[in-house]
Amino acid sequence: AGVSDGGIDLSIDFRPRLNAGYERAGADGAFADPQSREEFSQAGLREAYATAFFDEGAALWRAAVCATEGAELVRVDGADVQGRRQFGGTAGVSYGPLRIELRLPLTRAAAAAAAAAVESSAQRWLGWMRAAGEASWMANRMMYDRDNQVRHAVYRADAGRLQARWGAALGLRVAAAYAGRHDMVGHNTLGLGMGHGFDDSDGRD
């Protein structure tokens, strides 16, 4: 949450650790029957995530936050996650089904509502982490790989906006700090004469 141009910006998202194909949802939020091996896999992931995280209670929580007095929904396109170049294409989008992007009036009530939404989202995430079971080595490896791709997508999506607000140098620094280390995303640029990430060690871990 933050303040800009006389209003409050509230952005909350629980990004899935694996590509569950949420961008395939139709206008009504429903998904077409899977037609490929990839789509069947993504449907299975969505079902697992809905059971563990994105259940009815979570959807009601999101609806309540979005119903905050004076709130306006903000249209923000989801950043495409860049897939490994050797496989081609993209690796889905970075956002999850509970994503919230709101513009609130600059009032004490709205500021309190935004703070409460951020606190409740953090508590929800901590609850999930306390209840989480152990993942397999392969699942952990896949999640780590995608984490770095998502960080890179977030950085690309935020860099221009933050540079416009705070200037080229500071905007890039804030975008980099928000996105986190790229680590192995640098392997996409090996042999192309491009850097690994934000410093000389990125992509070499």
Side-chain angles (χ1 to χ4, degrees):
V3 174
S4 69
D5 301 324
I8 298 173
D9 303 307
L10 178 61
S11 177
I12 299 174
D13 194 9
F14 302 97
R15 296 189 176 101
R17 301 287 303 281
L18 293 172
N19 180 16
Y22 286 108
E23 74 278 9
R24 301 183 188 276
D28 60 354
F31 293 86
D33 292 337
Q35 301 296 319
S36 67
R37 181 176 180 180
E38 178 186 37
E39 291 179 9
F40 272 103
S41 176
Q42 290 174 346
L45 275 174
R46 290 194 299 271
E47 183 176 353
Y49 284 151
T51 299
F53 312 118
F54 308 137
D55 56 16
E56 184 178 359
L60 290 174
W61 167 83
R62 180 187 183 279
V65 173
C66 292
T68 300
E69 184 175 358
E72 297 180 3
L73 291 173
V74 178
R75 167 80 178 178
V76 179
D77 292 333
D80 286 341
V81 178
Q82 185 182 48
R84 294 294 176 201
R85 282 195 171 89
Q86 60 267 41
F87 301 127
T90 64
V93 291
S94 61
Y95 59 84
L98 298 184
R99 184 184 189 187
I100 295 172
E101 300 286 350
L102 297 178
R103 180 76 172 169
L104 303 173
L106 191 56
T107 64
R108 291 184 180 273
V118 171
E119 172 65 20
S120 63
S121 67
Q123 292 302 320
R124 181 174 294 277
W125 184 85
L126 288 172
W128 290 341
M129 295 305 100
R130 284 191 289 266
E134 290 291 330
S136 68
W137 179 89
M138 180 57 72
N140 274 308
R141 181 63 183 81
M142 293 170 64
M143 288 188 289
Y144 170 72
D145 185 57
R146 181 171 169 80
D147 284 347
N148 290 289
Q149 294 171 331
V150 168
R151 289 172 193 162
H152 186 56
V154 170
Y155 172 75
R156 288 188 292 109
D158 286 345
R161 175 176 58 85
L162 293 175
Q163 283 183 299
R165 179 179 296 181
W166 290 321
L170 180 57
L172 283 178
R173 287 174 58 194
V174 173
Y178 177 64
R181 287 175 59 88
H182 285 196
D183 291 339
M184 287 192 69
V185 75
H187 286 246
N188 260 358
T189 60
L190 289 175
L192 299 179
M194 302 170 64
H196 284 75
F198 302 132
D199 60 56
D200 289 340
S201 68
D202 280 358
R204 304 176 190 273
D205 297 15

